[in-house]
Amino acid sequence: MMKRGRYLRLEGHVKWIAGQTMILATNTDGTDSYIPRSLWTIRVDLRGVPQDEYAALAQGDVVTVTGVLSDDNSWLVGTSIERPEG
């Protein structure tokens, strides 16, 4: 069961995607990052994301993922994925 948490927006690139799961490598170089080490690479559950937002994604694509952390803070329940314009 998911608790109601704060929404997060994480920017990064797709490490891999299969079915309704994506691994996101967040944009951080590890120095003075606001992103905790545990979120440098995170599993994203895509079941709550409209399929048209991730159907054409491929490894290396840059995205911003919005979602809520799981109760144990080990994965993100995705709600939307945006790609940069241009």
Side-chain angles (χ1 to χ4, degrees), residues 26-37 40:
T26 56
N27 290 341
T28 180
D29 63 5
T31 58
D32 297 328
S33 174
Y34 73 94
I35 300 172
R37 179 181 289 271
W40 287 0

Side-chain angles (χ1 to χ4, degrees), residues 3-4 11 16 24 30 36-37 44-45 50 52 55 58 60 63-64 74 76 78-79 83 85:
K3 64 182 175 186
R4 291 185 182 221
E11 296 178 1
W16 64 260
L24 178 73
R37 179 181 289 271
V44 181
D45 180 341
D52 64 329
V63 295
T64 300
S74 66
L76 190 72
T79 56
R83 297 176 81 173
E85 293 186 26

Side-chain angles (χ1 to χ4, degrees), residues 68-81:
V68 178
L69 280 177
S70 63
D71 289 340
D72 65 359
N73 294 330
S74 66
W75 51 282
L76 190 72
V77 179
T79 56
S80 72
I81 297 176

Side-chain angles (χ1 to χ4, degrees), residues 4-66:
R4 291 185 182 221
R6 240 185 302 180
Y7 280 85
L8 295 177
R9 288 177 55 86
L10 298 175
E11 296 178 1
H13 67 274
V14 177
K15 291 287 280 183
W16 64 260
I17 186 167
Q20 295 180 322
T21 301
M22 176 175 71
I23 301 297
L24 178 73
T26 56
N27 290 341
T28 180
D29 63 5
T31 58
D32 297 328
S33 174
Y34 73 94
I35 300 172
R37 179 181 289 271
S38 62
L39 297 180
W40 287 0
T41 301
I42 189 165
R43 179 172 64 96
V44 181
D45 180 341
L46 301 174
R47 290 180 288 181
V49 178
Q51 189 174 15
D52 64 329
E53 294 182 12
Y54 68 87
L57 290 179
Q59 185 176 5
D61 285 350
V62 176
V63 295
T64 300
V65 178
T66 302

